[in-house]
Amino acid sequence: MNSWEKNVRQVIPYTPGEQPVGTDIIKLNTNECPYPPAPGVKRAIKDIDTEMFRLYPDPEAKKLVDAIADYYNVSPEQIFVGVGSDDVIGMAFLTFFNSERPILFPDITYSFYDVWADLFQVKYETIPLNDKFEINPQDYFRKNGGVIFPNPNAPTAVSLPLSRVEEIIQQNQDVVVIVDEAYVDFGGESALPLVDKYDNLLVVRTFSKSRAMAGMRIGYAFGNEKLISAMKAVKFSYNSYTMNQAAICAGVAAIQDENYFQSIVSKIISTREQAKKRLEALGFRCTDSKANFLFASHRFVPAEKIFNELKSRQIYVRYFKKPRIDNYLRITIGTDKEMEALYEALEEIING
Ligand code: PMP
């Protein structure tokens, strides 16, 4: 070992879902939207004056912040934007989780949380979900250095009612509570109305799922002005120009098309409900999903076997070889055509 290697920060990075290349692939493994972004996004990108690329972008991304503020009827000072919600959550860890006490999050949850905690050297404790994969708010009524959980949770897809989310925030007013609402548009109850009531609440959202723009990398958060200005101070101490000009334009166009947004979200929800019935008919049990994916376990056939067999047929779903969930598959809701191909393949794997 060279002596410089002793000073290298040791991290085990987050493992994202595979991004296979090629045609004829059915990709239901990373919770992307199966439909394109709003038509206005294409026009906005086409109309970009590329001359302007010689200039740095607005570090405050004011156009995008104002468009989000308008849409949700909050003040621009209550909004933080970043390069996907991963960037926003990472910044929030760096800004708010500096206590001697451990932060708390569920044992089964977004697998980036423990990675950020390790990277930023934040102590953490995981709290087991109950047997139905639900969060029990009482488990979070104890001294801690902060709380984070997704609602709906991932990869379980289970949603916590707003009254129960509020119990967690209410009992933890001496720390920052982050509610990661990446999937909330697909049927969850948002904690956004609580932002004015609790100055310790940060609600994080993304354009990656319900606004069909994972590739553009836009995330945002709502919080009290003090929370937001603390996050900006940290961000501007690290990299001011994270939001590029194209992403700002595309984000504004996406948030302005309400009809398109509603139409793709309701289409995904109806395909999800149909998919749940079809999977149950094939012998799967699914959680009550309020997200754009199902979390499913087959009564007899091991999840890992189904995962591999689907993959050999070019159908990608997500499998986590982790305690408690190693017999489950996380299946992103695709188009109806993609879902039909999935049912056909599952039928073959299970009954054939
Ligand atoms: N939170 C949760 C719970 C997620 O599943 C994801 C998607 N991987 C993210 C945040 C991050 O999404 P993005 O960075 O694309 O906004």
Side-chain angles (χ1 to χ4, degrees), residues 14 84-86 89 110 113 150 154 180 182-183 206 208-209 217-218:
Y14 168 72
S85 53
D86 281 342
I89 301 168
Y110 185 31
Y113 298 160
D180 174 356
Y183 302 103
T206 180
S208 297
K209 320 291 175 183
R217 311 303 301 128
I218 305 173

Side-chain angles (χ1 to χ4, degrees), residues 137-138 141 162-172:
Q138 270 89 353
F141 300 175
L162 185 57
S163 58
R164 316 233 64 205
V165 171
E166 183 165 4
E167 286 173 34
I168 296 177
I169 303 161
Q170 218 242 326
Q171 295 287 328
N172 284 286

Side-chain angles (χ1 to χ4, degrees), residues 229-332:
S229 69
M231 283 185 77
K232 284 186 189 168
V234 170
K235 178 216 166 104
F236 294 142
S237 309
Y238 176 68
N239 179 2
S240 305
Y241 302 114
T242 54
M243 304 301 293
N244 71 65
Q245 291 177 12
I248 293 171
C249 287
V252 170
I255 205 137
Q256 286 171 344
D257 196 338
E258 178 64 6
N259 286 344
Y260 184 80
F261 168 72
Q262 293 295 346
S263 73
I264 59 172
V265 164
S266 57
K267 178 68 197 142
I268 290 166
I269 292 173
S270 80
T271 307
R272 176 188 75 204
E273 294 311 306
Q274 176 69 16
K276 198 172 165 204
K277 285 192 200 130
R278 296 287 292 269
L279 291 191
E280 282 169 357
L282 285 165
F284 284 91
R285 270 188 271 246
C286 301
T287 60
D288 180 20
S289 170
K290 294 284 185 258
N292 66 341
F293 57 90
L294 289 174
F295 198 51
S297 179
H298 196 267
R299 284 164 204 272
F300 312 114
V301 189
E304 192 171 14
K305 175 177 153 68
I306 302 174
F307 167 78
N308 285 322
E309 296 246 358
L310 285 174
K311 193 169 166 177
S312 71
R313 291 165 170 81
Q314 304 272 66
I315 299 176
Y316 289 75
V317 298
R318 193 87 199 259
Y319 171 70
F320 299 94
K321 209 178 176 86
K322 286 188 172 175
R324 297 187 71 190
I325 56 168
D326 59 358
N327 201 24
Y328 281 81
L329 297 171
R330 192 195 70 187
I331 304 169
T332 305

Side-chain angles (χ1 to χ4, degrees), residues 148-215:
I148 180 164
F149 58 92
N151 194 36
N153 197 1
T156 62
V158 175
S159 176
L160 188 65
L162 185 57
S163 58
R164 316 233 64 205
V165 171
E166 183 165 4
E167 286 173 34
I168 296 177
I169 303 161
Q170 218 242 326
Q171 295 287 328
N172 284 286
Q173 294 188 52
D174 54 343
V175 296
V176 172
V177 177
I178 303 175
V179 184
D180 174 356
E181 295 189 342
Y183 302 103
V184 78
D185 292 326
F186 302 102
E189 274 183 283
S190 177
L192 175 57
L194 301 180
V195 158
D196 284 327
K197 191 166 168 192
Y198 298 98
D199 62 9
N200 62 317
L201 168 64
L202 190 79
V203 175
V204 182
R205 297 281 188 88
T206 180
F207 278 54
S208 297
K209 320 291 175 183
S210 54
R211 297 206 181 260
M213 298 230 286

